[in-house]
């Protein structure tokens, strides 16, 4: 019976694992279990850095119980860091590994092919080796840094090619630094030592099928960067074949290179068109996964992707009142009010999104108007004459006359300013805390159910044993209210004080976001930095919880914390949770050291950094450094969706500030109340480990 294991990430369709011979069956036959891995597609989810999908591949192959593994490759390349991690994971496995190039093994995929104890290649397949590639924008110092980083990657990769071919490292490094794509047929690859055996290829596939595939898709070109990018990719260069290169040695390889260059433009345009059509709906559930699937499907055109997007959006929409569709039309007052709001925001240079400050053109009739002018216009639109009124009377009437849009105008300006500042204020708590909802201000329990122990043998009389239902654990969380009131006086309107109108709102929006952030870290800092007290009377991080480690962020300390996290058992203590680290959290002062440990291909603590693989490479997906933590202690957290440690719960799930307007009576103007209702609590100790640091 065959079993198939596929990646957990929905968008990661580039590899699959098949257990050819189950372990039990192989043992019964006195043979070793066999498995087969297919790497058919781009390496990782993205060409621009390490990804969750590649990390999942490393975990999957590490958990694979087989004595012999065959890895079949048909890939044009992808992320350097992902590919290097995959190469090292294959090398670490105790099984006898045979890598087989079924179609193409280009760029970083050719490095993965070198990981096999035996490397085979179909007679009509193609191998390509070239230099690491990246895209970035920045000053000269940044560009030099990027170039040095690429050279370091090339040097590290050259050792792997040299280990396989037996050639000097310098000779292999030359292939990775001359800027040329080196294509090899199976015969040429064997002569150099890249492969050990040549297998019989499928009829016709040698040229027609391969070129058809290359013509439809080869790689994804890098878009113009707006800021420095540190991730490395492996992509074909646009250089012509160098004189005397292997590429020019065979007509097939040269023809393939030409087809590849044409495919760069065609596939890049297809991917960009799909990305553009999906961009406006990226916040909808399922859209990101569908976009990745369409982009990675070489047969999916941008028009077909659009149809799939419409089907997905339609599946989550329901008609209003059964089968009746109601269209709400904005009236003239709405349009004028929106134009006024935009004009005020533009004058104050307020950014309500990541696109930057609001801009208005000459078609907006209120562009450049002062607040007093807008108040007078609102009264005029309400049919109220302002003849004979002084400035204070105009502002007073604009606030108090029921038909005036002025209070609503100011409220909209304040709301958009507040929400824009709130959205743009950075935070980190969402990376390692769970997000919850409560319905009122009472204490709300969070339950963790115990598990049943393993099945037991029947009694001597052939009866089944009764199983005891285990007790669970619970924690509680309570929401509270935090807020402030801000006042806008008539004088501020008359003086056209834009700072009083929008500056306070922006400050409050940022303050609201920072307040949650500060409260999360204050909760984490309780009990001298060991976290809040849980229901068992112990601090979140406690020796009895087996989640307190030691050591500065080194490879050894990373691995010790990972092992401690993986050893946590469920509530009943019946089985291991087998949790994996997802986030590293620590002070800014040591976060750089943590990045070095996590991102290094080779052990940075070793005497010779290029001879020992880094067992902590890509251990966590995110490194979070913050000035809100001090000293040397640091933490690792499992994904909040798998093992929530801290929870931030919002009243009715509303995680944005609430703004309420009140026309002033005691205050000569108007005032706004801003509030947020939320609570923070420690839930469970099992999903995190604290290291006391150096």
């Amino acid at each position: 019976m065959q079993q198939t294991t596929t990646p957990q990430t929905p968008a990661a369709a580039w590899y699959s694992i098949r257990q050819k011979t189950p372990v039990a069956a192989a043992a019964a036959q006195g043979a070793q279990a066999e498995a087969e891995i297919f790497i058919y597609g781009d390496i990782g989810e993205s060409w621009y850095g390490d990804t969750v999908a590649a990390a999942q591949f490393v975990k999957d192959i590490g958990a694979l119980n087989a004595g012999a593994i065959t890895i079949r490759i048909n890939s044009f390349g992808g992320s350097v860091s992902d590919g290097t991690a995959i190469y090292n994971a294959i090398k670490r496995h105790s099984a006898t590994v045979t890598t087989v190039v079924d179609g193409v093994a280009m760029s970083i995929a050719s490095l993965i092919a070198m990981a096999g104890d035996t490397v085979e290649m179909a007679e009509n397949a193609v191998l390509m080796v070239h230099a690491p590639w990246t895209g970035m924008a920045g000053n000269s110092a940044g560009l030099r840094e990027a170039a040095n980083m690429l050279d370091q990657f090339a040097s590290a990769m050259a050792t792997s090619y040299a280990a396989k071919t037996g050639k000097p490292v310098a000779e292999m490094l030359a292939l990775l630094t001359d800027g040329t794509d080196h294509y090899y047929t199976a015969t040429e690859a064997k002569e150099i030592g890249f492969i050990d055996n040549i297998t019989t290829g499928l009829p016709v596939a040698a040229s027609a099928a391969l070129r058809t595939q290359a013509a439809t898709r080869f790689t994804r070109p890098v878009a113009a960067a707006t800021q420095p990018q540190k991730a490395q990719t492996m992509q074909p260069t646009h250089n012509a074949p160098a004189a005397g290169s292997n590429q020019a040695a065979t007509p097939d390889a040269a023809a393939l290179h030409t087809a590849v260059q044409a495919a760069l433009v065609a596939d890049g345009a297809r991917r960009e068109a799909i990305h553009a059509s999906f961009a406006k709906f990226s916040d909808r559930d399922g859209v990101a996964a569908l976009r990745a699937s369409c982009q990675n499907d070489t047969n999916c055109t941008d028009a077909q992707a659009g149809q799939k997007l419409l089907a997905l959006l339609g599946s989550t929409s329901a008609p209003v009142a059964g089968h009746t569709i109601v269209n709400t039309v904005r009236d003239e007052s709405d349009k004028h009010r929106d134009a006024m709001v935009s004009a005020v925001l533009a004058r104050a240079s307020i950014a309500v999104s990541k696109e930057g400050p609001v801009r208005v053109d000459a078609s907006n009739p209120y562009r450049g108007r002062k607040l007093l002018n807008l108040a007078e216009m609102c009264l005029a639109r309400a049919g109220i004459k302002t003849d004979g009124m002084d400035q204070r009377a105009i502002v007073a009437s604009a606030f108090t006359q029921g038909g005036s849009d002025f209070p609503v105008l100011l409220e909209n300006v304040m709301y958009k300013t507040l929400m824009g500042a709130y959205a743009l204020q950075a935070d980190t708590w969402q990376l390692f805390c769970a997000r919850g909802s409560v319905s009122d201000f009472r204490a709300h329990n969070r339950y963790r159910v115990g598990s049943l122990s393993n099945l037991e043998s029947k009694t001597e009389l052939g009866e089944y044993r009764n199983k005891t239902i285990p007790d669970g654990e619970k924690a509680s969380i309570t929401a509270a209210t935090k807020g402030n009131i801000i006042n806008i006086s008539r004088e501020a309107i008359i003086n056209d004080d834009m700072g009083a109108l929008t500056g306070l709102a922006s400050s409050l929006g940022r303050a609201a976001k920072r307040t949650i952030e500060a409260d999360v870290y204050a909760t984490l800092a309780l009990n001298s930095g060991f976290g809040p007290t849980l229901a068992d009377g112990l601090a979140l991080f406690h020796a009895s919880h087996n989640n307190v480690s030691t050591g500065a962020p080194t490879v050894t300390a990373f691995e010790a914390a990972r092992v401690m996290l993986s050893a946590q058992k469920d509530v009943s203590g019946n089985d291991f949770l087998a949790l994996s680290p997802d986030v590293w959290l620590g002070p800014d002062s040591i976060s750089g050291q943590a990045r070095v440990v996590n991102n290094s291909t080779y052990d940075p603590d070793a005497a010779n950094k290029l001879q020992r693989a880094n067992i902590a490479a890509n251990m966590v997906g995110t490194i979070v450094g913050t000035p809100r933590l001090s000293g040397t202690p640091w933490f690792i957290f499992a994904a909040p969706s798998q093992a929530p440690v801290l929870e931030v719960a919002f009243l009715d799930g509303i995680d944005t500030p609430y703004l309420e307007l009140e026309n002033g009576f005691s205050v000569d103007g108007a005032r706004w109340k801003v509030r947020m209702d939320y609570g923070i609590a420690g839930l469970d100790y099992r999903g995190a480990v604290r290291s006391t640091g150096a």
Side-chain angles (χ1 to χ4, degrees):
M1 180 177 181
Q2 294 180 344
Q3 298 175 336
T4 300
T5 302
T6 56
Q8 297 177 1
T9 306
W14 52 274
Y15 78 89
S16 62
I17 299 177
R18 182 168 66 97
Q19 190 83 42
K20 295 176 63 177
T21 307
V23 177
Q29 300 171 6
Q32 59 183 0
E34 297 181 11
E36 195 168 29
I37 299 177
F38 295 85
I39 300 180
Y40 271 45
D42 297 345
I43 307 301
E45 291 174 306
S46 169
W47 288 71
Y48 310 122
D50 53 332
T51 65
V52 174
Q56 186 62 45
F57 178 97
V58 173
K59 295 176 184 176
D60 287 345
I61 193 172
L64 192 59
N65 189 354
I69 299 177
T70 300
I71 301 177
R72 297 190 173 277
I73 302 172
N74 184 27
S75 172
F76 293 109
S79 164
V80 173
S81 56
D82 283 353
T84 306
I86 291 170
Y87 172 92
N88 290 330
I90 296 171
K91 280 293 189 183
R92 286 196 300 268
H93 203 284
S94 59
T96 301
V97 178
T98 301
T99 54
V100 182
V101 181
D102 282 343
V104 293
M106 299 188 179
S107 196
I108 196 64
S110 67
L111 182 76
I112 294 175
M114 301 299 104
D117 298 305
T118 301
V119 183
E120 298 180 349
M121 184 172 172
E123 61 184 359
N124 53 5
V126 173
L127 187 81
M128 188 269 277
V129 178
H130 69 171
W133 192 96
T134 191
M136 68 166 290
N139 57 31
S140 59
L143 294 173
R144 291 189 187 97
E145 181 183 355
N148 292 336
M149 181 170 51
L150 291 176
D151 289 341
Q152 290 175 349
F153 268 87
S155 297
M157 293 164 57
T159 61
S160 299
Y161 289 113
K164 176 58 188 170
T165 61
K167 304 286 186 182
V169 173
E171 182 178 335
M172 293 295 100
L173 184 59
L175 295 177
L176 300 177
T177 55
D178 64 2
T180 300
D181 299 334
H182 298 274
Y183 291 85
Y184 301 94
T185 63
T187 301
E188 293 168 338
K190 187 175 181 182
E191 289 176 355
I192 295 178
F194 284 124
I195 68 171
D196 302 301
N197 301 315
I198 299 176
T199 62
T200 303
L202 295 175
V204 184
S207 57
L210 186 58
R211 290 204 187 94
T212 299
Q213 185 179 8
T216 56
R217 175 181 160 279
F218 181 74
T219 183
R220 54 187 87 169
V222 176
T226 57
Q227 60 184 5
Q229 298 183 12
K230 297 297 184 184
Q232 296 77 39
T233 67
M234 291 287 281
Q235 298 194 4
T237 64
H238 293 266
N239 299 336
S245 68
N246 296 95
Q247 179 182 347
T250 62
D252 281 356
L256 177 60
H257 184 272
T258 301
V260 163
Q261 304 311 312
L264 280 169
V265 178
D267 189 60
R270 181 188 68 86
R271 297 182 65 86
E272 288 300 322
I274 293 174
H275 178 83
S277 62
F278 278 64
K280 294 181 179 179
F281 309 98
S282 58
D283 59 337
R284 304 285 186 89
D285 290 341
V287 170
L290 178 61
R291 179 184 62 197
S293 176
C294 292
Q295 287 181 319
N296 293 335
D297 182 358
T298 59
N299 297 318
C300 182
T301 66
D302 58 329
Q304 292 170 337
Q307 293 296 324
K308 293 181 179 181
L309 174 61
L310 288 175
L312 174 64
L313 297 176
S315 66
T316 59
S317 302
V320 178
H323 299 284
T324 304
I325 299 177
V326 178
N327 293 321
T328 302
V329 181
R330 297 166 64 246
D331 60 19
E332 186 181 7
S333 296
D334 294 330
K335 295 178 181 178
H336 280 277
R337 191 184 303 122
D338 290 347
M340 290 182 181
V341 170
S342 297
V344 174
L345 294 175
R347 280 193 62 215
S349 296
I350 297 298
V352 298
S353 68
K354 294 182 179 179
E355 279 69 30
V358 174
R359 297 285 184 262
V360 293
D361 54 30
S363 63
N364 188 316
Y366 306 106
R367 186 177 69 162
R369 298 301 180 96
K370 295 184 177 180
L371 295 175
L372 182 62
N373 298 141
L374 296 177
E376 191 170 5
M377 290 178 177
C378 287
L379 289 174
R381 290 188 56 79
I384 301 171
K385 295 184 178 181
T386 58
D387 298 343
M389 290 186 182
D390 61 18
Q391 293 179 345
R392 294 180 64 86
I394 290 174
V395 175
S397 297
F399 273 118
T400 57
Q401 293 294 334
S404 172
D405 283 340
F406 194 65
V408 180
L409 161 67
L410 293 186
E411 184 177 14
N412 287 349
V413 169
M414 299 290 283
Y415 179 77
K416 289 190 175 182
T417 302
L418 175 77
M419 297 306 292
Y422 181 82
L424 295 176
Q425 176 68 34
D427 63 14
T428 60
W429 69 264
Q430 300 185 66
L431 297 172
F432 59 91
C433 295
R435 181 194 299 266
S437 175
V438 293
S439 58
D440 51 42
F441 294 99
R442 297 176 299 174
H444 289 260
N445 293 329
R446 298 291 191 258
Y447 294 97
R448 296 180 298 281
V449 181
S451 68
L452 298 174
S453 59
N454 295 337
L455 298 180
E456 302 175 66
S457 302
K458 293 189 294 183
T459 67
E460 296 178 356
L461 300 177
E463 297 176 344
Y464 290 96
R465 303 176 189 272
N466 290 322
K467 181 69 69 174
T468 302
I469 304 299
D471 293 330
E473 291 180 352
K474 75 174 181 179
S476 65
I477 189 168
T478 303
T481 300
K482 291 190 175 183
N484 285 105
I485 292 177
I486 54 177
N487 301 300
I488 301 296
S489 66
R490 295 185 191 181
E491 287 78 6
I493 303 299
I494 294 172
N495 294 337
D496 197 40
D497 190 347
M498 300 297 292
L501 181 64
T502 60
L504 290 175
S506 294
S507 297
L508 275 179
R510 292 189 292 270
K513 199 73 166 287
R514 290 197 308 269
T515 300
I516 303 175
E517 181 91 342
D519 286 350
V520 168
Y521 283 99
T523 302
L524 199 59
L526 293 173
N527 292 312
S528 301
F530 285 86
T533 301
L534 302 184
D536 59 5
L538 301 177
L540 173 62
F541 299 99
H542 193 278
S544 298
H545 292 158
N546 193 32
N547 64 354
V548 177
S549 184
T550 60
T554 62
V555 171
T556 301
F558 262 53
E559 178 66 7
R562 182 197 68 78
V563 171
M564 186 172 285
L565 182 67
S566 178
Q568 291 287 357
K569 291 189 175 182
D570 62 19
V571 173
S572 301
N574 290 321
D575 204 353
F576 294 102
L577 294 175
L579 298 172
S580 298
D582 184 65
V583 174
W584 182 95
L585 173 67
D588 268 338
S589 58
I590 60 173
S591 63
Q593 185 178 352
R595 289 186 177 90
V596 170
V597 172
N598 191 66
N599 298 338
S600 296
T601 301
Y602 297 94
D603 190 341
D605 302 329
N608 188 334
K609 296 179 174 58
L610 297 182
Q611 289 188 352
R612 189 169 72 187
N614 179 13
I615 61 174
N618 302 308
M619 182 177 290
V620 298
T622 306
I623 300 288
V624 179
T626 174
R628 297 186 185 276
L629 294 175
S630 59
T632 59
W634 50 274
F635 309 83
I636 60 170
F637 287 83
S641 59
Q642 295 182 356
V645 176
L646 297 170
E647 179 181 332
V648 180
F650 297 92
L651 183 65
D652 294 328
I654 300 173
D655 60 355
T656 54
Y658 177 83
L659 181 69
E660 183 177 3
L661 167 68
E662 180 184 63
N663 289 326
F665 180 78
S666 59
V667 178
D668 196 12
R671 59 184 182 178
W672 284 267
K673 179 171 63 180
V674 180
R675 73 166 189 262
M676 290 198 70
D677 306 307
Y678 66 92
I680 303 170
L683 300 184
D684 189 11
Y685 62 84
R686 296 173 178 85
V689 173
R690 181 186 190 270
S691 174
T692 56

